[in-house]
Amino acid sequence: MSKVSKGRSNALSSGKSDSFREEFLAAGDRDEIATVVAKLSAAMDELGLSEHERRYVEVGRAAKKNYAQRLSTCIAQKVSDGLRDRYPTILPSADGKMHESRSMGAGGLKKLDVNYSTPELGLGLGISVKTINFRDLATKRYTKNVKRVDGELRAEAQDYHTRQPYSLLAGLVFMPMDAATDGVGERSSFRHAREVFAGRAGRAGPQDDPSRFERLWIGLYGTTPETLGDVRFFDVSGPEGDSVEVIRFSAVLDEIQSEFRTRNRK
């Protein structure tokens, strides 16, 4: 099992392996959190509180936030380890230190999940990891936090690209696999997220919109005992429908490397 603690642990991750099983095990028991939150929410319903009164209650917020932080930290370690043979000084380091390292943005120093910087390049490659892990209690879908995540990505891209326009930024947004089947008809949480994040990707060159990432993928992850660790990635700028391409983690790393070479070929 991976043991990753923010910035301090000796971290062992599953590296280039396409499986994220160790990372999800290290993050904690997502199903337990979801079950307890649902139980508490049902108890709140029995109290007969008004909508105004329920605003004073944050059911499971701390537990969900802590799980998301642990998972993002574990994933950042795996991404960094998967790219380390190509970028030896990439952060977080092999021993699990320097998580959320800082790089200069337009508004000052900002945190990055995965950071490859050199004196010559400045910020050469930055990778942002986001996770949306729990259904909204009201809608029973995963759409509630999509707008928030898009706003965070926009701010990150704007800040880094304004200061360092040649930097290559990639985004990885993780959602449970059932986000693809939770909608009415074809309008699932996954489809909604793809449409939103498609507008946050596709920056082709340093003169383009600084608020966009060069590349961005959604990773749908399995949540059952049989599928835990299975993650299928979708390029938000790629085709949709029957022609949609599903790729694995190793292919995402290869595409990031190819994009980096194109950006820095001179």
Side-chain angles (χ1 to χ4, degrees):
M1 179 184 297
S2 300
K3 296 180 180 179
V4 181
S5 177
K6 184 179 177 182
R8 290 185 290 274
S9 71
N10 291 324
L12 298 176
S13 78
S14 56
K16 291 183 179 180
S17 168
D18 284 328
S19 173
F20 283 71
R21 181 176 179 81
E22 292 184 17
E23 285 68 34
F24 280 99
L25 287 174
D29 193 334
R30 171 186 170 275
D31 286 347
E32 180 183 19
I33 296 172
T35 298
V36 172
V37 168
K39 183 177 180 180
L40 292 174
S41 180
M44 295 296 297
D45 290 339
E46 294 179 1
L47 292 176
L49 299 178
S50 67
E51 182 177 347
H52 173 74
E53 290 169 329
R54 290 205 60 158
R55 293 176 183 174
Y56 289 84
V57 182
E58 296 286 351
V59 180
R61 181 178 182 180
K64 292 188 286 187
K65 181 179 179 181
N66 290 340
Y67 174 84
Q69 180 61 58
R70 290 193 301 270
L71 180 58
S72 293
T73 302
C74 291
I75 291 172
Q77 186 70 48
K78 179 179 175 67
V79 173
S80 183
D81 289 346
L83 290 168
R84 198 172 311 285
D85 61 344
R86 316 176 207 203
Y87 312 104
T89 60
I90 197 168
L91 299 175
S93 59
D95 60 0
K97 296 179 180 179
M98 296 296 290
H99 274 270
E100 294 188 335
S101 57
R102 295 177 183 271
S103 184
M104 185 62 72
L109 290 171
K110 304 293 182 182
K111 296 178 181 179
L112 260 176
D113 294 308
V114 179
N115 178 349
Y116 174 65
S117 299
T118 71
E120 296 81 10
L121 291 173
L123 175 60
L125 171 64
I127 300 175
S128 181
V129 177
K130 306 293 184 185
T131 67
I132 300 173
N133 305 294
F134 299 96
R135 294 177 184 267
D136 176 54
L137 293 173
T139 65
K140 310 302 182 185
R141 305 181 69 206
Y142 296 96
T143 54
K144 181 179 180 181
N145 288 312
V146 169
K147 184 176 181 181
R148 173 186 58 79
V149 169
D150 182 58
E152 293 175 358
L153 293 171
R154 178 200 57 75
E156 290 175 22
Q158 182 82 38
D159 230 27
Y160 288 120
H161 279 145
T162 298
R163 172 81 183 204
Q164 306 186 74
Y166 282 87
S167 300
L168 175 68
L169 296 181
L172 301 176
V173 181
F174 288 75
M175 303 176 71
M177 197 80 72
D178 58 352
T181 56
D182 67 350
V184 177
E186 296 183 354
R187 189 66 179 179
S188 65
S189 295
F190 168 62
R191 180 172 179 177
H192 170 71
R194 274 197 70 169
E195 292 174 356
V196 171
F197 296 136
R200 193 56 51 211
R203 185 173 184 264
Q207 289 77 35
D208 292 343
D209 183 356
S211 69
R212 300 174 74 175
F213 278 61
E214 275 70 17
R215 301 294 300 274
L216 202 156
W217 291 267
I218 296 175
L220 293 183
Y221 65 83
T223 58
T224 67
E226 297 77 21
T227 63
L228 186 67
D230 182 21
V231 182
R232 304 172 186 179
F233 290 93
F234 302 81
D235 185 343
V236 299
S237 300
E240 297 187 27
D242 294 337
S243 58
V244 65
E245 182 180 8
V246 182
I247 64 174
R248 297 294 181 177
F249 177 62
S250 54
V252 171
L253 297 182
D254 288 341
E255 292 195 22
I256 291 174
Q257 164 72 352
S258 177
E259 197 82 18
F260 181 84
R261 285 177 174 173
T262 299
R263 176 61 55 85
N264 296 283
R265 61 182 178 271
K266 293 183 180 181

